Amino acid sequence: MPTLQEEAVRLLDANARRGKDYYYTAPSRRKYPHQWSWDSAFCAIANCRLGRPDLAKAEVLTLLGKMLPSGALPHLIFHDLARISAANRALRFYWPCADRSPLVQPPVVALAARTIWENTGDTHFLRQVLPPLEKHFAWLYETRRFGGSPLVSIFSPWESGLDHKPSFDPLLGKLARLPFGKYIVLYVAEMEMARLRFDPREIEGHRYFNVREVLFNTIYALGLEALGKMSAALGENSKAAIYSARSEEVEKAILIECFDPATGLYFDVDVRSGRQIREPTISSLAPLALGHLPAQMAAGLVRHLANPLEFWLPYPIPSVPRNSRHFRPRSRTYLWRGPTWINTNWLLVEGLKRQGYHEMAEIISRKTRELVEKSGFWEYYDPLTGQGQGQRNFAWSALAAII
Ligand code: GLC
């Protein structure tokens, strides 16, 4: 019987795509054959921890190599234009750059770079990746902050990586309530933004979707922290101090702006109204991954996580709690509305360890491995039965082997 690690390596190899000037892991061979930003970063983390840092480095360098001149890191990249499906071509005709998206995703790439650095001590790699990483974080800092908040905004639910998370519903208007309406709304909104050349001031002025998403900002804070550590490793101490101060500032802002004292959970902020969107989802628990979360707040989140009416299901951690009216453990039409995903499990298990909840982290790790052992590497899983759903042989589910 092959071990889980061996199976994960086999999966990552089968999904690997190589060309003259690229290497990446396709999320799935059929539905998602292209390079997605946070998928790639998660796969690089898995490859590195599975003892294959060279593949991890190649994947991170491929991704960073496709950064737009502005510093935006595309959420989706087509390396082989000849292989783009007609649907993708038709739907993306408005992209300013034909082979890459003008949207972004959570900057997990900085965590991947840090993992590679910590596992290899390769300073040459660090010198290669730090400048583009800094450029991307400077772009986020300069173009995605509004109204004096240190938190950054996303301009489309797709930028969260949590596409149809129910907290976005109230912001998407009536069309989104029709069958497949959410998809239509997202494409239409993207086209409108393209018309405005994705200019943040225009988007703010036209009052488009503008949200301080909790998971995105948690990863942004962790990314700044990683930039601080990596700059310090190169002896760039003043830079290191700036990044770690920024990271702490973002952490504090999450604790102030996104915290809801009534529930003890964290919620996204709609920048247009200035209000929290009080809809519990997996993002509500994301601050568990932060470095400076006060013990009392961590304990509050752990209570929600351990509650069988909310997140403590047979196969945790569901993307929406069971007692939410949006809980759909088997929905295939809309993503992130109930099923358990392995990338968020990995992030929250790291967080639980960081906050000192080792036993709970170990239970979730074990159950995550069980999911894969039971039904294979699926895109997401029914949190009640553990049944795999969506795309099979889904690459970032390889994280189950290193969780
Ligand atoms: C889905 C997921 C998103 C992921 C993409 C490619 O859209 O919601 O997070 O990046 O698929 O796997």
Side-chain angles (χ1 to χ4, degrees):
M1 272 280 280
T3 63
L4 187 54
Q5 279 77 9
E6 285 164 349
E7 299 270 22
V9 162
R10 204 180 293 171
L11 165 72
L12 291 167
D13 284 344
N15 287 24
R17 297 287 172 270
R18 290 182 172 78
K20 212 167 23 66
D21 53 359
Y22 64 84
Y23 175 88
Y24 70 93
T25 317
S28 91
R29 287 167 236 168
R30 278 197 308 146
K31 190 169 174 195
Y32 306 116
H34 307 292
Q35 185 174 23
W36 268 262
S37 164
W38 81 330
D39 296 68
S40 241
F42 284 123
C43 292
I45 292 171
N47 258 325
C48 182
R49 297 271 313 280
L50 286 164
R52 305 176 338 142
D54 290 347
L55 296 180
K57 286 179 201 169
E59 181 135 21
V60 165
L61 290 169
T62 300
L63 178 61
L64 292 173
K66 289 290 178 180
M67 188 174 287
L68 292 164
S70 61
L73 189 60
H75 99 289
L76 170 57
I77 298 159
F78 300 134
H79 287 279
D80 187 352
L81 279 170
R83 289 180 60 190
I84 308 177
S85 67
N88 253 326
R89 222 181 266 278
L91 288 169
R92 265 76 195 226
F93 70 90
Y94 51 83
W95 281 8
C97 203
D99 69 341
R100 45 200 113 154
S101 153
L103 303 179
V104 296
Q105 266 185 336
V108 182
V109 62
L111 312 190
R114 178 178 179 176
T115 305
I116 295 168
W117 154 247
E118 286 175 351
N119 280 269
T120 61
D122 183 348
T123 43
H124 172 68
F125 171 74
L126 214 47
R127 280 187 218 288
Q128 271 180 298
V129 291
L130 253 184
L133 283 175
E134 288 187 63
K135 185 167 175 182
H136 179 52
F137 277 77
W139 177 86
L140 286 168
Y141 184 82
E142 277 151 24
T143 67
R144 291 301 185 95
R145 290 176 311 135
F146 297 89
S149 168
L151 302 184
V152 289
S153 287
I154 55 168
F155 289 165
S156 160
W158 274 319
E159 292 201 314
S160 67
L162 313 171
D163 312 13
H164 310 117
K165 188 175 78 136
S167 49
F168 300 138
D169 289 6
L171 312 180
L172 297 179
K174 286 193 193 124
L175 188 57
R177 288 184 222 141
L178 299 174
F180 287 96
K182 282 190 224 308
Y183 286 95
I184 302 169
V185 167
L186 295 195
Y187 283 114
V188 170
E190 220 185 277
M191 270 188 261
E192 281 292 309
M193 290 192 286
R195 198 174 56 77
L196 303 172
R197 291 186 301 282
F198 293 89
D199 178 337
R201 303 296 142 204
E202 290 279 350
I203 288 168
E204 188 187 21
H206 284 75
R207 301 179 64 73
Y208 277 120
F209 186 97
N210 186 335
V211 172
R212 296 185 188 125
E213 205 276 329
V214 181
L215 178 66
F216 193 108
N217 276 285
T218 299
I219 293 172
Y220 174 57
L222 296 177
L224 287 166
E225 185 188 22
L227 286 191
K229 298 278 180 220
M230 292 188 284
S231 305
L234 290 181
E236 299 183 15
N237 294 333
S238 53
K239 248 191 211 171
I242 294 174
Y243 287 126
S244 71
R246 265 187 205 172
S247 162
E248 284 186 33
E249 192 189 23
V250 171
E251 288 204 18
K252 260 194 218 127
I254 294 175
L255 303 191
I256 294 167
E257 284 188 48
C258 304
F259 184 66
D260 169 35
T263 56
L265 289 171
Y266 294 80
F267 295 119
D268 300 347
V269 173
D270 173 20
V271 177
R272 294 177 297 189
S273 66
R275 292 208 198 98
Q276 288 179 355
I277 313 161
R278 300 218 168 102
E279 192 61 66
T281 65
I282 190 77
S283 301
S284 308
L285 304 178
L288 272 174
L290 296 174
H292 302 87
L293 186 68
Q296 199 192 341
M297 286 168 147
L301 286 181
V302 167
R303 269 198 296 281
H304 285 282
L305 179 50
N307 182 350
L309 299 175
E310 297 176 74
F311 294 98
W312 201 251
L313 302 193
Y315 293 94
I317 308 166
S319 39
V320 162
R322 188 180 198 161
N323 59 359
S324 157
R325 67 200 160 100
H326 298 291
F327 180 67
R328 300 273 180 284
R330 279 175 288 277
S331 166
R332 292 178 69 107
T333 318
Y334 294 129
L335 303 177
W336 300 96
R337 294 174 87 92
T340 291
W341 292 69
I342 290 189
N343 64 333
T344 43
N345 273 17
W346 174 80
L347 193 78
L348 289 179
V349 163
E350 292 287 305
L352 283 168
K353 289 189 214 154
R354 205 167 185 185
Q355 310 305 333
Y357 291 90
H358 294 282
E359 207 176 308
M360 188 175 227
E362 187 38 47
I363 298 173
I364 299 174
S365 301
R366 182 167 47 75
K367 293 210 171 221
T368 307
R369 289 192 294 273
E370 254 176 63
L371 280 175
V372 172
E373 280 154 6
K374 200 170 133 130
S375 50
F377 296 99
W378 286 84
E379 188 177 2
Y380 45 90
Y381 299 82
D382 180 335
L384 301 171
T385 64
Q387 198 192 331
Q389 302 178 82
Q391 299 302 303
R392 68 177 336 145
N393 296 318
F394 191 76
W396 79 37
S397 295
L399 289 168
I402 56 125
I403 200 169

